[in-house]
Amino acid sequence: MESVIPGVTAARLRGTVRVDWRAVWIWALCATLVLYLGLDGGGYDLVVRSHVGVIVWWVVLLGAACAVLPSARLSRAGWSALALFGAFVVWTAAASTWSLSSERSLEELSRVACYLGVLALAITTFTDRRRALRHTVAAVAFAVFVIAALAVVSRLRPGTFPGSQTTATLLPGSHERLSWPLNYWNALGALVALGIPLLLGIATSARTLAAQAAGAAAIPVICLCGYLTFSRGGAIADAVALGVFLALAPDRIPKLVTLLLCAAGSAALIAGAVHRSAIEQGATTAVARHQGASLLLAVLLVCAGVGLAQVGVALAVRHGTRPRVIRVSPRRASALLAVVVVIALALALGLGAPGRLAHAWSAFKQPSAAALHHDQIARFGALSGNGRYAYWTTGIDALPGHVLGGWGPGTFQLVYLPRARVSTYVVDAHSLYVETLVELGLIGLVLLAAFLLTLLGAAVRAAVTSSAATRVQAAAVTAAVAAFLISAGFDWVWQVPVLPVAILLLGAAALAPAKPSASKGTRTSSSKGTRTAIRAVLAVAAIAGLVAIGVPLASTEAVRASQTQASLGNTSSALADARSALRIEPGAESAQLQAALVLELQGRFGAAVTAARKATADEPQNWQPWLVLSRLETEAGQPRPAVADYRRARALDPSSLLF
């Protein structure tokens, strides 16, 4: 009988305990990566995600060199996924050669190289689908719950985590929206959306009653977390994920009962938050602490109640006899589903759904709406895209002449700002698909879409072809992938590594072989030759990945060291660090601009002007170096070029309130 502890089984012989090291590895890989990235700003910072990428690629390199990797026979779908995403990374590197900014493109290449390392490591170590799905779902769900629970505690117990006010400090007026520890509310909402189906899968398929109770008890907590983010995209992704899960999971009636049970507990906690204004507003006053303490007690009681109720549901499913009236054969279920769909379509047409959809689309295109200014439950009814339609259409309108290859990785901001239609400072397109099209062209979008569809298809196939608990877990993975794809369509979750890393790990579990690989003794010489070739490819990819990640990392760390030294008044050390960054990455605009600013501090205005001009040459479409150059030229006694460069800066961001 298997133990509750992951990876530990009770051996039948001599009462010894055998450790399932593959299960331990899956838990260590998945839980560690998701928790580390999630608790450190979602991994958004280049240094944080680069450290992860370096470690992952080193593990791949050492594993290939020691003939440990690949430890599994890759499935066809696994090969396809690796090939497609590898091609996407290669295309990103190629597109960097015609980019508007080599520095931004290398940073984007670093990001996707990190993701490729995670995918390669997971695919080459997950040996069979059943085990991989079970432990990956559990590990990722556990990590998501911990992140969401800490986020809720940071709101209910203000001051517990000093870093929880990071976003509110940087963006005044955003303190109402729960953002920590990812430091972006929509990203946290998206993480909750992919976590809910995973926990629902555990609650309805775990082998032990304790695990099922824990899975159900955790759902109200992360639902409360999702509500406090006030993320409409997260709510939409939630709905899609639950629909996908119920559509693919077997024996849906018990799942639906569990879902309703968890929904009732979640609704109770959300109602408690709605009636505590200080909690909704993210206040840090004594009133907020008092309200938080009372709601925290309610959270514990509700979660305990949901967990105990789920035990009752699980016992009824295991030992009860289902009434005939709710026994539905697959053929009858399909017929009933068809009838429901027809009735739903008829009702939709009768209630004027086409007109309502047209109105919703018109509202979405509006840059703002009154409800968006209220961080409360009414916000979920707002239909405005909050400027997204303008971001998308502006980027797409800039495509002529760049349809196939795009403008270059990481350059959406440089494309958008000179053509901006609304006065909003934008870095990303708030849509992975639009941003990929603008930056990498049609070729890049096709490669990425093919890869994502491969992940989704593998998860759907696993759900359809598996049986019993494995099918439930595959349905949960499919729902999580679907939630991510929805979130990626409306926000920049691709730039928050904890989300794509979690999806890559889940996708790798679905891509694992349906059956364990053959034992070493039965491998033929041809299979050994194939494994040798695979190890060589992995080693080359690892070296390339380390270089792709290491160059921007080293340059960024040198620039930050220069900024630190400058703030301390050590201008000589600051200049040396800036020049060190330039030696590592000669085309880095940020390093060149940092050198100019340090030279300004030293009073060497002529040299500062020269350095700033080189920065404008590195990123001619970026308004910031032109504005700095204008100031430096003024200080150097060059008024005419200063005025001209100021006008150039304004032309590159004409809608900015700065000008």
Side-chain angles (χ1 to χ4, degrees):
M1 181 177 178
E2 188 161 326
S3 169
V4 177
I5 302 174
V8 179
T9 59
R12 294 176 181 267
L13 299 175
R14 299 181 182 178
T16 59
V17 175
R18 179 171 58 86
V19 178
D20 185 348
W21 290 110
R22 292 192 184 278
V24 173
W25 163 249
I26 293 173
W27 268 83
L29 176 65
C30 299
T32 301
L33 284 180
V34 176
L35 278 174
Y36 176 77
L37 291 169
L39 295 177
D40 201 343
Y44 178 79
D45 183 73
L46 181 144
V47 172
V48 174
R49 72 164 187 266
S50 295
H51 287 164
V52 170
V54 167
I55 292 173
V56 166
W57 276 120
W58 266 113
V59 172
V60 172
L61 180 60
L62 294 175
C66 298
V68 175
L69 297 180
S71 60
R73 172 184 55 81
L74 274 64
S75 65
R76 289 185 179 180
W79 278 117
S80 299
L82 276 177
L84 285 169
F85 198 65
F88 177 74
V89 174
V90 170
W91 180 251
T92 301
S96 301
T97 60
W98 59 75
S99 173
L100 294 173
S101 167
S102 64
E103 181 180 17
R104 295 183 186 222
S105 293
L106 289 179
E107 288 181 4
E108 189 61 28
L109 177 61
S110 167
R111 186 196 319 277
V112 295
C114 175
Y115 296 165
L116 179 61
V118 172
L119 180 67
L121 181 58
I123 284 182
T124 55
T125 55
F126 290 175
T127 55
D128 73 278
R129 187 184 303 158
R130 182 186 61 82
R131 175 190 286 150
L133 283 171
R134 179 157 60 94
H135 294 296
T136 304
V137 166
V140 174
F142 168 76
V144 172
F145 167 71
V146 170
I147 293 168
L150 291 175
V152 170
V153 171
S154 73
R155 177 59 62 92
L156 302 187
R157 303 291 294 173
T160 303
F161 304 103
S164 61
Q165 298 300 315
T166 299
T167 304
T169 302
L170 296 175
L171 297 174
S174 65
H175 59 278
E176 296 94 347
R177 310 189 68 176
L178 184 60
S179 302
W180 188 84
L182 271 59
N183 297 331
Y184 180 44
W185 48 86
N186 285 334
L188 186 56
L191 187 67
V192 165
L194 70 88
I196 289 176
L198 301 180
L199 288 168
L200 189 58
I202 293 172
T204 57
S205 70
R207 297 183 176 185
T208 64
L209 291 176
Q212 290 190 29
I219 291 177
V221 175
I222 69 171
C223 285
L224 176 61
C225 175
Y227 169 74
L228 291 174
T229 65
F230 301 105
S231 173
R232 295 172 296 152
I236 294 172
D238 286 336
V240 171
L242 292 176
V244 171
F245 177 80
L246 291 176
L248 293 176
D251 199 16
R252 298 179 184 87
I253 292 177
K255 275 76 174 176
L256 187 58
V257 172
T258 299
L259 176 59
L260 293 175
L261 179 65
C262 296
S266 302
L269 294 184
I270 291 173
V274 169
H275 290 90
R276 292 171 172 82
S277 58
I279 297 299
E280 277 199 325
Q281 295 169 4
T284 58
T285 60
V287 173
R289 288 191 290 272
H290 173 72
Q291 292 183 356
S294 62
L295 186 55
L296 182 59
L297 178 60
V299 168
L300 296 175
L301 293 175
V302 167
C303 290
V306 170
L308 290 174
Q310 178 55 29
V311 171
V313 173
L315 289 174
V317 171
R318 288 187 182 185
H319 306 292
T321 301
R322 189 173 304 179
R324 275 190 169 186
V325 69
I326 60 173
R327 294 182 188 176
V328 183
S329 66
R331 180 178 297 180
R332 188 180 177 187
S334 300
L336 288 174
L337 179 62
V339 171
V340 170
V341 170
V342 170
I343 294 174
L345 289 175
L347 287 174
L349 292 173
L351 295 174
R356 293 175 182 270
L357 288 175
H359 171 72
W361 177 243
S362 298
F364 177 81
K365 293 191 290 186
Q366 299 302 316
S368 186
L372 292 179
H373 301 291
H374 302 284
D375 289 323
Q376 52 187 315
I377 200 167
R379 180 184 175 86
F380 291 98
L383 298 176
S384 168
N386 203 20
R388 284 168 173 78
Y389 181 77
Y391 308 157
W392 302 345
T393 54
T394 301
I396 293 172
D397 289 345
L399 272 176
H402 302 269
V403 175
L404 289 180
W407 288 86
T411 60
F412 180 83
Q413 183 185 47
L414 303 182
V415 174
Y416 172 79
L417 289 181
R419 304 168 176 83
R421 300 171 185 174
V422 293
S423 57
T424 304
Y425 185 78
V426 174
V427 176
D428 301 292
H430 288 67
S431 171
L432 171 62
Y433 316 118
V434 173
E435 184 160 323
T436 301
L437 178 61
V438 173
E439 295 181 353
L440 297 174
L442 189 59
I443 295 175
L445 180 60
V446 168
L447 288 172
L448 180 62
F451 166 71
L452 294 174
L453 289 176
T454 299
L455 285 189
L456 183 63
V460 171
R461 185 173 182 272
V464 172
T465 59
S466 302
S467 59
T470 304
R471 181 176 175 183
V472 179
Q473 292 147 9
V477 169
T478 308
V481 173
F484 175 79
L485 296 180
I486 293 295
S487 298
F490 292 92
D491 230 305
W492 44 276
V493 295
W494 184 255
Q495 282 74 27
V496 186
V498 65
L499 286 152
V501 164
I503 290 302
L504 291 172
L505 293 169
L506 292 168
L511 291 165
K515 297 180 180 179
S517 303
S519 62
K520 292 183 179 180
T522 62
R523 289 177 183 147
T524 64
S525 58
S526 61
S527 66
K528 291 180 180 178
T530 302
R531 285 173 56 83
T532 300
I534 294 173
R535 289 199 299 270
V537 171
L538 285 175
V540 171
I543 293 171
L546 288 170
V547 172
I549 296 171
V551 171
L553 172 62
S555 178
T556 299
E557 289 182 329
V559 169
R560 293 183 182 180
S562 175
Q563 293 169 342
T564 300
Q565 293 298 321
S567 66
L568 296 174
N570 302 325
T571 57
S572 297
S573 297
L575 186 58
D577 288 331
R579 288 174 173 168
S580 176
L582 285 171
R583 286 192 295 272
I584 297 169
E585 193 177 342
E589 175 270 342
S590 62
Q592 198 67 259
L593 196 61
Q594 175 64 16
L597 294 174
V598 174
L599 289 168
E600 180 188 24
L601 289 176
Q602 294 179 339
R604 300 163 61 184
F605 300 117
V609 167
T610 301
R613 283 177 180 160
K614 291 179 180 178
T616 61
D618 291 331
E619 284 190 16
Q621 295 298 110
N622 186 353
W623 63 268
Q624 293 176 337
W626 289 103
L627 187 61
V628 172
L629 175 60
S630 174
R631 187 185 74 231
L632 293 173
E633 287 170 333
T634 301
E635 294 172 333
Q638 303 173 20
R640 288 187 178 180
V643 172
D645 291 334
Y646 175 83
R647 289 173 177 168
R648 177 67 182 273
R650 184 172 60 185
L652 292 173
D653 191 8
S655 63
S656 173
L657 298 177
L658 178 66
F659 298 105

